[in-house]
Amino acid sequence: MPLDTIYLTRHGHRLNWTIDFRTGTYKAQFPTPTGNPADPALTSHGVRQSHELAEHVAAPQFHPKPFRVYSSPFYRCLQTIQPSVEELKRISTQSGNSQLADLNVRIENGLGEWFGATNFFDHPPHPTSKEMSTHFPTLIPESNVGNYKPLLIPSRRGETISQLHNRVATALQGIITDIDTEIVALEATLPPDQRTSQSVLICAHAAPLIAMGRALTGRMPDDSSEEDFNVFTAGLSTFKRRGNMTPAVEGSSYGPEGESALAEGTRFVRASGDIPDWKNGNGVAGGWDCVSNGDCSFLSTGAERGWHFNGEESFDTGPMAPASEPAPSKTDTKL
């Protein structure tokens, strides 16, 4: 059976950063574990949310349990799923299914943070698997670093909303294809009665998660600010695969006239660079239906910090003041 369930979760409540939109200078509210000002840790409330998420995912009634886990490379995402992954590993070992489940987290930059397009500075880089292994050895053991290579690396000059959607669609197409191939190989070693539903857990940020929901279902609203997919902190959405498990046709380009489908500077590691034909209801890899949209019933404080697109977040005016001069700051609260 190919992959049939995808769980999407947003990181928990985090600390903030600011960006001086005149100079492109990022500043963290508090020191960050990685030294990257746009890579803050969770607040104490966010840590509590991460444990409540883990309790929910580990519960007997939560089925099918993820047998693969993917994450944006940023600290807050790994910190959010750490309790869940550790519980899943414990359950897998106790049940004797550890030979099928590979729960070491796969860092996929193609699902990472969204930064608005800019033409005069570079956004902070994504952390690397090697770097994050030092912070999360139970999620990314040192021996596992380098085993998974990301499909693509987003441009450090940021992206438009359209380019973000195409980027995550390309990454999801590659992930689903990878997992389907792995399942075929695993099931070849099993009798038919042991071939069961398989699921994957993905942790990312608000904007990419909304784009993922649209890419999976194939439903792109005319107005990107439409509130269609809920992305509350530590909330969980579930997508089920449609009956025709055929891959979407690749090679199509989407984007406003005169705009490239993917941001210039996007680097392909394993992805071919072809964008799946996901719009008009197609969805990636044959399409998926959202059966649970931003469930927060397991969180003690319920749904919090919802977000939706509100136009482009571009930085395309060029530097308007030297970095040495005081300048107003723009607080980034979306992700």
Side-chain angles (χ1 to χ4, degrees):
M1 295 178 62
L3 177 72
D4 63 11
T5 305
I6 294 177
Y7 302 113
L8 300 182
T9 190
R10 183 184 173 192
H11 61 74
H13 192 284
R14 61 155 174 82
L15 296 168
N16 285 336
W17 69 80
T18 60
I19 177 173
D20 182 338
F21 63 89
R22 300 197 301 178
T23 63
T25 303
Y26 280 79
K27 291 184 179 180
Q29 183 183 35
F30 296 97
T32 64
T34 62
N36 181 337
D39 193 21
L42 300 179
T43 63
S44 59
H45 178 51
V47 172
R48 180 167 57 251
Q49 289 179 315
S50 75
H51 287 281
E52 291 174 342
L53 173 64
E55 184 178 356
H56 177 63
V57 171
Q61 63 269 25
F62 187 89
H63 183 80
K65 292 279 191 287
F67 91 127
R68 299 286 188 269
V69 181
Y70 289 76
S71 178
S72 158
F74 286 87
Y75 191 96
R76 56 194 176 275
C77 291
L78 290 162
Q79 189 179 13
T80 297
I81 57 172
Q82 182 174 19
S84 295
V85 172
E86 290 174 350
E87 275 297 289
L88 288 170
K89 286 187 174 185
R90 180 187 62 79
I91 293 169
S92 178
T93 300
Q94 289 181 347
S95 66
N97 291 330
S98 56
Q99 73 276 16
L100 299 179
D102 177 5
L103 295 166
N104 290 325
V105 176
R106 299 176 175 186
I107 297 297
E108 179 50 63
N109 302 65
L111 305 177
E113 182 68 284
W114 176 53
F115 295 106
T118 172
N119 59 7
F120 72 98
F121 69 91
D122 286 342
H123 291 291
H126 284 194
T128 65
S129 293
K130 183 176 181 180
E131 179 181 14
M132 300 317 287
S133 175
T134 64
H135 296 283
F136 300 98
T138 61
L139 306 190
I140 314 170
E142 185 178 359
S143 60
N144 198 62
V145 172
N147 287 359
Y148 178 81
K149 296 186 182 302
L151 289 147
L152 59 92
I153 310 291
S155 171
R156 289 190 60 190
R157 284 300 175 100
E159 303 160 305
T160 65
I161 292 173
S162 175
Q163 289 168 340
L164 165 68
H165 282 70
N166 285 331
R167 184 248 291 179
V168 301
T170 304
L172 286 170
Q173 179 76 30
I175 287 170
I176 295 166
T177 299
D178 282 351
I179 295 177
D180 283 347
T181 301
E182 292 174 26
I183 291 174
V184 169
L186 287 171
E187 291 189 340
T189 67
L190 298 173
D193 62 347
Q194 293 184 25
R195 300 171 186 175
T196 62
S197 297
Q198 301 292 357
S199 67
V200 61
L201 173 64
I202 295 173
C203 185
H205 316 263
L209 285 169
I210 293 173
M212 287 182 223
R214 293 168 176 174
L216 289 169
T217 61
R219 298 186 179 95
M220 181 67 192
D222 292 333
D223 180 358
S224 63
S225 65
E226 179 178 313
E227 297 185 42
D228 44 4
F229 293 102
N230 297 326
V231 288
F232 304 109
T233 49
L236 193 70
S237 294
T238 304
F239 294 80
K240 291 287 187 178
R241 202 166 192 169
R242 296 174 192 156
N244 62 327
M245 296 182 181
T246 56
V249 176
E250 295 187 351
S252 300
S253 294
Y254 290 100
E257 185 176 354
E259 176 185 296
S260 60
L262 291 169
E264 184 178 354
T266 302
R267 183 161 60 89
F268 302 102
V269 181
R270 290 194 298 118
S272 66
D274 292 324
I275 300 168
D277 184 10
W278 62 273
K279 288 187 178 179
N280 302 315
N282 290 332
V284 297
W288 303 70
D289 295 318
C290 182
V291 299
S292 179
N293 187 2
D295 177 27
C296 295
S297 60
F298 53 90
L299 297 172
S300 58
T301 51
E304 296 177 295
R305 293 177 67 85
W307 187 86
H308 63 90
F309 288 98
N310 187 23
E312 299 288 354
E313 296 198 354
S314 60
F315 305 84
D316 57 2
T317 58
M320 294 182 286
S324 59
E325 290 188 17
S329 294
K330 177 180 179 180
T331 301
D332 185 340
T333 58
K334 72 176 184 300
L335 304 175

